[in-house]
Amino acid sequence: AGTGEAVALADYDMDGFLDLFVTNGLNLRPRFVGGPDRLYRNRGNANHWIEIDLVGTASNRDGIGAQVYVTRADGLVQLREQNGGYQRTVQHFKRLHFGLGSAASAVNPGVNVRVEWPSGVVDRFSKLSADQIYALVEGSGGASVSACGAPSYDPAADAGLYLWEENCGSATRRVTVRASGGGAGVVDYAGRIGVNQSFSGVTPYALEADDLLAVIDGARQIHFQVQAGGRWQDGFEFRAARAARICFGTDLPAGAKVKVGRLATPVATPFDLDTFQSCRPPPVVGLCGAPAYVPGNDRGLYLWEEGCASATPRFSVRALAGPTNPISYTGTLNADRAFGDVTPFSLEGGDLLSVLNSRREIRYRMQTSSPWQDGFDYSTTNGASVCFGVDLPAGTSVRVGPNETLVPTPFAIVDLQTRAYGDRIALSTIACSN
């Protein structure tokens, strides 16, 4: 049925053993018709390995042209050149793979790596653990990144958001996330984690009533908001398949870095949990459906979608004062298309609801006190994008959807557009200009 045509190499299940994808049918007539393609999974063995992603800075992004030397403790040296995986008609996966054999020295005291970058920069990375995937950054001075292993930190003295992997190398990845107070005041960490497959489990750790841990979108997204202060720590664990692609992002504090792995290496968010390169964090979803708030008890600005399956989605905005003093919310909504109907809800003489700029702008001011609520409803058309902003009180977050997910403003409501991992969404925290 035709001869073998091409063989591509990739560790597609990320177990440390290279797998093969084979195309057949080179001599078939007519051309490109027939011939079974085959994916061969390498079942592996007890040998050790190390895999490396190169992240160029002064050189090209993928480090094409770099020479990578891996030295075991017994002195054995291996060389691979990063050529982008190209070979005849095949594009192999660009991640560099080194087989380390069965020697104990492959594991302890570790592996040394030297990278000679096309720019002339030379980086040396010492005592890397075997059976791990590393991202090596040009000019980092030997600071490698690996999520494997718990860091050593004191919750009463070390503040930060920590992430590490417990069962490195197993078929199911188990990742721990901890927010540590470090003996100081309360720090609010909020973020999102997305996966192209479903998470197989999410477990809270020491969370209180004012913390949030929501698993939504068919268990493909985790939204979290944890407050840590003093000598305490909050957090959670999640599990996913080894081959799953995971993007970890934080919204608060702005510009937060996550301390990763045994060495507590600071990594800027959002990052891919395998390559530690920038990725697009998952959008906030779960906008559809009203929250179960109590006007006399709950305080905040709430937003949800009513016409979730309609060609003209309808949204509700409500302002609650809770049991404390009266509060005034002001802000603006801007759209790339004209709003449909805009209807006030329980607004009084001191409130404002204006539709301007050819019906593409809504300005609001809502003064409310307990046990009442003020608000308005508006409709859009499919495909419309709306930027939701709050001017006062400064720094106000909006509680969104039935899960009352806190979203910092301004944020974009992008109706039924495709975003990260191909999800269909109704709201995104992509920054927008209000």
Side-chain angles (χ1 to χ4, degrees):
T3 56
E5 183 172 12
V7 180
L9 286 81
D11 179 12
Y12 81 91
D13 54 356
M14 292 190 287
D15 64 352
F17 296 90
L18 289 176
D19 311 293
L20 303 179
F21 183 75
V22 180
T23 64
N24 294 290
L26 179 63
N27 293 327
L28 283 178
R29 296 293 182 272
R31 294 183 66 193
F32 311 118
V33 176
D37 296 335
R38 292 287 185 263
L39 174 63
Y40 293 94
R41 179 179 178 271
N42 189 339
R43 295 179 178 176
N45 50 46
N47 288 342
H48 301 291
W49 52 272
I50 191 170
E51 293 183 353
I52 293 172
D53 289 319
L54 296 180
V55 183
T57 54
S59 303
N60 61 83
R61 181 190 63 184
D62 297 323
I64 305 300
Q67 292 185 323
V68 181
Y69 296 84
V70 169
T71 305
R72 295 190 335 195
D74 61 2
L76 178 66
V77 180
Q78 299 180 59
L79 164 65
R80 288 194 184 279
E81 182 173 306
Q82 175 60 288
N83 68 350
Y86 174 74
Q87 180 257 323
R88 193 172 176 263
T89 60
V90 171
Q91 181 78 36
H92 303 300
F93 191 31
K94 65 189 178 190
R95 178 173 292 161
L96 298 177
H97 177 277
F98 294 84
L100 300 177
S102 59
S105 59
V107 181
N108 187 17
V111 180
N112 295 328
V113 178
R114 184 174 83 253
V115 182
E116 298 179 358
W117 300 89
S119 66
V121 172
V122 177
D123 285 310
R124 292 174 172 83
F125 304 86
S126 301
K127 297 182 179 180
L128 302 185
S129 299
D131 306 330
Q132 298 298 320
I133 301 171
Y134 286 91
L136 305 185
V137 180
E138 182 179 11
S140 63
S144 58
V145 184
S146 173
C148 185
S152 177
Y153 68 95
D154 182 0
D158 302 318
L161 193 62
Y162 293 84
L163 178 148
W164 67 90
E165 187 174 342
E166 299 280 3
N167 55 340
C168 310
S170 68
T172 300
R173 166 179 280 163
R174 189 171 78 246
V175 178
T176 297
V177 179
R178 292 288 184 269
S180 174
V186 174
V187 180
D188 195 358
Y189 294 96
R192 299 153 289 154
I193 310 170
V195 65
N196 62 340
Q197 305 175 17
S198 296
F199 291 104
S200 58
V202 180
T203 307
Y205 175 85
L207 298 186
E208 293 84 28
D210 54 351
D211 295 320
L212 169 72
L213 183 64
V215 183
I216 60 177
D217 192 26
R220 290 186 299 167
Q221 292 194 39
I222 299 172
H223 295 174
F224 67 89
Q225 183 169 12
V226 294
Q227 295 180 335
R231 58 187 180 89
W232 311 109
Q233 59 176 336
D234 293 349
F236 56 93
E237 292 88 35
F238 65 85
R239 294 180 294 281
R242 175 64 53 185
R245 298 301 302 273
I246 300 172
C247 184
F248 189 102
T250 56
D251 302 319
L252 296 173
K257 291 187 176 182
V258 180
K259 299 177 182 180
V260 172
R262 179 175 54 84
L263 300 178
T265 306
V267 178
T269 61
F271 60 83
D272 183 289
L273 201 53
D274 289 303
T275 67
F276 299 99
Q277 298 186 51
S278 178
C279 59
R280 175 174 288 176
V284 175
V285 297
L287 186 67
C288 183
Y293 59 73
V294 179
N297 296 327
D298 298 324
R299 179 184 179 93
L301 199 59
Y302 292 77
L303 167 73
W304 68 91
E305 183 179 359
E306 296 281 7
C308 305
S310 172
T312 55
R314 187 170 183 82
F315 299 86
S316 295
V317 180
R318 296 292 184 268
L320 282 70
T324 57
N325 295 327
I327 187 169
S328 179
Y329 295 96
T330 65
T332 307
L333 282 71
N334 289 301
D336 61 351
R337 303 181 188 180
F339 290 103
D341 62 289
V342 180
T343 308
F345 176 87
S346 188
L347 296 186
E348 295 83 29
D351 297 323
L352 169 71
L353 184 63
S354 300
V355 184
L356 309 168
N357 190 21
S358 301
R359 299 192 65 80
R360 291 187 298 165
E361 180 179 351
I362 298 174
R363 294 182 183 175
Y364 64 88
R365 180 178 67 245
M366 299 179 290
Q367 296 176 331
T368 185
S369 59
S370 181
W372 315 108
Q373 57 176 326
D374 292 347
F376 59 93
D377 304 322
Y378 70 90
S379 63
T380 62
T381 57
N382 278 340
S385 296
V386 179
C387 185
F388 191 107
V390 179
D391 300 324
L392 293 174
T396 295
S397 293
V398 180
R399 297 185 181 274
V400 171
N403 293 325
E404 301 182 12
T405 305
L406 275 173
V407 180
T409 58
F411 57 82
I413 304 171
V414 186
D415 183 53
L416 299 180
Q417 297 288 316
T418 300
R419 284 294 181 265
Y421 305 120
D423 297 326
R424 302 288 283 181
I425 68 170
L427 184 143
S428 170
T429 55
I430 298 170
C432 58
S433 177
N434 203 253

